[in-house]
Amino acid sequence: MSKAYTDLVKEQKDVATLGAIGSLLGWDQETYMPPDGAGSRADQQELLSTIAHQRRISPRIGTLIEECEASNGALDETLKASVREMRRDYDLATKLPVELVAELAKTQSLSQDAWKHARASDNFAMFAPWLEKVLNLTRKKAQCYGVPAGGELYDALLDEYEPGATAVQIEAIFTPLQARLSSLVARLCDSPKKPADALKGIVVPQEQQHAFGLEVLKAIGFDLSAGRLDTTAHPFCSGFGPGDTRLTTRYNTSSCLEPLSSTMHEAGHGIYEQGLPKATDFGTPLAEAVSLGIHESQSRMWENLVGRSRGFWTWALPVAKRHFAPAIDGLTLEQVYASVNQVQRSFIRVEADEATYNLHVMLRFGLERDLISGALPVKDLPGEWNKRFKQLLGLDVTSDRVGCLQDVHWSFGLVGYFPTYTLGNLYAAQFWQTINKALPDLNGQMARGEFGPLKSWLNEHIHKHGRRYRAGELCQRVTGQPLSPEPLMEYLESKYAPLYGV
Ligand code: ZN
């Protein structure tokens, strides 16, 4: 290992540590900070992010990266990949003028506040001028990053979350998937043999839900001596550094098993964070996630492919019965399996089931692409949302609160983020096919509460590589195929067709 690389890692570790401190402040803000602390917390975050940004774009890092590139022959393949990704991060960070970063940060914060009020009062007009401002700044950001040859402005934004992906590639995957999903959803929702939701109306206290969630976390391999589970309005996962990965979830008093979905979702992110080689490589891309799409593949795998499977519930139902006694004593495995796999057309993305979820994402992908290109003026967003929603999901949107005002992302300038949710589902299903070939008794293992083999497989094939491979390359290496909609469609068809008698 060259001296330049060792020096570079030292610098990057400081940058990552500053980032981890910022995440910890953010975690505290969402969990335990008293409301009156908001003002001083904003000051702390502003100062910290300025210092972190200055360190990130320091000329010393640039020089050290150049030295590593010049002596590339001295580095092995893994370290070459590490330098390649550091170069990418450095170039992206230095392309943005400091004034634009500051203006974006300030506008995002104000715009998010305006969005909150607009959503609460169901008033899009209150949010529209802010969305306009945020989109203008986001376009400027994309121009600074630079549009790839033959690409569009949107690609520069998408690349931040899913390195190398383009709108045209996403469209090529989404278009055929959309047609097949729409037809599946229609068959399922119109089926006269729709299975009943036996869990409806069964209430259990929050403490029991929490204890059940913790027992599941332990069983699936989330290390609680290197992590925590807390409660927030919007669940999330934060991986700070070696030995500290925190999850949050939310409890629901009207549905006793639904909170487990968000706990398992965040645990999937957390198991990925814990599986990254942070003990040895913290601060370098080798200890970081590949992309948002790959991160989401891990969360959706544990949430859906595991957490809504018959195998999982064979083990988990007796555990739930023990925690919730006597609330669900009388329920059978088949009743619970049908209940956690209800499919219905609905307005809210975060509450959507596996079959309809990706249609919600496709709607947003099309709209945000048009918003960024300017083809869709902000003032026309509600009408266009409602029109396309009707085409995709067959429902008349009753208010903007359950329509174009429901997600926080655009108020933050997070454009190009939504497609990564569906990419995550696609990667998850494709990995799952490979995993089932590698672990032929996976269903039996889950039914016995043995999740170790699955977790070890993920550690070995996905987690331990960090950012050594880009998402497409990782998928090809792991599954032997480029990303395809087939595995997801096969999974959904084979699971839901028998359950819905279609
Ligand atoms: Zn997620």
Side-chain angles (χ1 to χ4, degrees):
M1 200 180 297
S2 70
K3 177 166 183 325
Y5 187 79
T6 315
D7 290 349
L8 181 55
V9 168
K10 228 168 129 192
E11 293 290 322
Q12 299 283 30
K13 227 176 205 174
D14 286 355
V15 174
T17 300
L18 288 167
I21 299 169
S23 302
L24 185 55
L25 289 176
W27 172 86
D28 174 71
Q29 186 169 351
E30 299 295 317
T31 49
Y32 295 110
M33 188 188 79
D36 289 357
S40 63
R41 181 53 44 88
D43 292 345
Q44 293 163 2
Q45 286 281 31
E46 194 187 344
L47 177 61
L48 191 67
S49 59
T50 309
I51 296 170
H53 188 67
Q54 282 163 348
R55 288 294 294 268
R56 192 174 298 118
I57 61 167
S58 79
R60 177 162 164 76
I61 291 187
T63 309
L64 288 168
I65 292 176
E66 273 170 29
E67 283 178 28
C68 288
E69 287 167 340
S71 61
N72 218 352
L75 302 174
D76 66 18
E77 290 308 310
T78 309
L79 297 190
K80 271 184 203 162
S82 178
V83 172
R84 177 197 74 212
E85 293 301 302
M86 287 186 203
R87 161 61 71 197
R88 172 192 149 81
D89 295 348
Y90 185 74
D91 284 352
L92 281 180
T94 49
K95 273 179 185 165
L96 297 185
V98 181
E99 308 79 56
L100 181 60
V101 173
E103 201 183 349
L104 254 171
K106 198 174 143 196
T107 311
Q108 280 165 348
S109 155
L110 295 169
S111 162
Q112 198 206 346
D113 199 54
W115 165 78
K116 241 185 224 171
H117 289 110
R119 187 174 75 154
S121 51
D122 194 16
N123 183 345
F124 179 76
M126 271 170 77
F127 177 53
W130 286 102
L131 181 57
E132 193 85 63
K133 268 184 211 167
V134 168
L135 285 173
N136 280 333
L137 289 170
T138 306
R139 274 187 212 105
K140 272 190 199 162
K141 185 173 83 167
Q143 275 149 3
C144 291
Y145 285 153
V147 177
E152 54 191 279
L153 212 48
Y154 186 84
D155 294 342
L157 299 167
L158 182 61
D159 181 71
E160 224 184 316
Y161 312 113
E162 202 62 28
T166 67
V168 168
Q169 284 170 0
I170 302 274
E171 191 180 26
I173 295 174
F174 280 15
T175 305
L177 181 62
Q178 182 183 312
R180 292 171 69 179
L181 279 174
S182 296
S183 127
L184 175 68
V185 167
R187 279 189 291 137
L188 298 179
C189 291
D190 300 339
S191 167
K193 293 182 197 154
K194 248 186 125 169
D197 181 358
L199 291 166
K200 213 175 182 173
I202 298 182
V203 179
V204 304
Q206 184 169 324
E207 303 76 58
Q208 292 177 12
Q209 295 177 33
H210 186 72
F212 174 53
L214 282 176
E215 186 163 348
V216 172
L217 284 188
K218 271 184 213 155
I220 66 176
F222 179 75
D223 182 358
L224 282 159
S225 62
R228 293 182 51 89
L229 175 67
D230 292 273
T231 311
T232 49
H234 303 284
F236 64 93
C237 163
S238 272
F240 302 128
D244 195 351
T245 299
R246 306 195 189 186
L247 316 177
T248 71
T249 193
R250 64 171 157 218
Y251 297 106
N252 188 331
T253 43
S254 63
S255 162
C256 64
L257 290 182
E258 197 234 51
L260 186 70
S261 304
S262 82
T263 305
M264 286 186 74
H265 180 98
E266 301 309 331
H269 285 304
I271 289 170
Y272 186 12
E273 288 289 324
Q274 290 184 336
L276 291 165
K278 293 188 190 185
T280 48
D281 296 306
F282 178 67
T284 78
L286 300 175
E288 288 168 358
V290 180
S291 67
L292 289 187
I294 297 295
H295 226 308
E296 194 69 4
S297 77
Q298 302 303 290
S299 56
R300 298 291 281 183
M301 186 181 290
W302 286 101
E303 175 192 355
N304 292 326
L305 296 154
V306 175
R308 296 183 202 282
S309 71
R310 204 178 255 114
F312 173 80
W313 282 104
T314 305
W315 166 78
L317 182 57
V319 179
K321 282 185 176 174
R322 174 155 50 73
H323 283 282
F324 298 167
I328 57 169
D329 282 3
L331 294 187
T332 65
L333 174 62
E334 287 311 309
Q335 281 177 308
V336 169
Y337 179 66
S339 301
V340 298
N341 286 299
Q342 294 287 308
V343 174
Q344 55 188 358
R345 297 183 179 99
S346 63
F347 293 113
I348 307 292
R349 174 185 60 87
V350 294
E351 293 167 6
D353 53 78
E354 286 181 286
T356 56
Y357 184 88
N358 296 298
L359 296 172
H360 291 264
V361 173
M362 289 164 185
L363 168 76
R364 287 153 177 78
F365 166 64
L367 289 168
E368 66 180 14
R369 199 177 171 194
D370 290 346
L371 282 170
I372 279 295
S373 75
L376 173 61
V378 165
K379 67 173 173 48
D380 296 340
L381 176 60
E384 197 59 25
W385 177 291
N386 299 352
K387 191 180 110 196
R388 295 193 201 181
F389 194 88
K390 174 90 177 173
Q391 287 164 358
L392 272 169
L393 280 137
L395 297 177
D396 290 306
V397 179
T398 47
S399 80
D400 291 335
R401 193 198 312 236
V402 297
C404 67
L405 283 176
Q406 67 180 274
D407 295 302
V408 70
H409 302 59
W410 290 337
S411 78
F412 246 91
L414 295 180
V415 174
Y417 194 109
F418 281 120
T420 69
Y421 292 131
T422 287
L423 290 178
N425 288 321
L426 293 168
Y427 282 124
Q430 194 156 328
F431 292 153
W432 195 245
Q433 279 194 347
T434 302
I435 293 168
N436 274 278
K437 282 181 202 139
L439 305 173
D441 186 35
L442 181 58
N443 224 30
Q445 288 167 344
M446 293 195 292
R448 296 189 294 274
E450 295 164 13
F451 301 97
L454 171 59
K455 191 190 146 228
S456 300
W457 191 95
L458 293 170
N459 286 154
E460 183 59 27
H461 293 88
I462 315 263
H463 305 166
K464 80 165 191 197
H465 299 303
R467 286 164 67 189
R468 179 168 175 175
Y469 310 110
R470 291 271 166 88
E473 197 187 349
L474 182 72
C475 180
Q476 180 76 45
R477 289 181 70 94
V478 168
T479 69
Q481 302 285 334
L483 185 64
S484 149
E486 287 307 319
L488 180 67
M489 284 313 302
E490 282 169 25
Y491 160 74
L492 292 173
E493 288 275 358
S494 65
K495 174 176 180 178
Y496 286 98
L499 192 57
Y500 279 70
V502 296

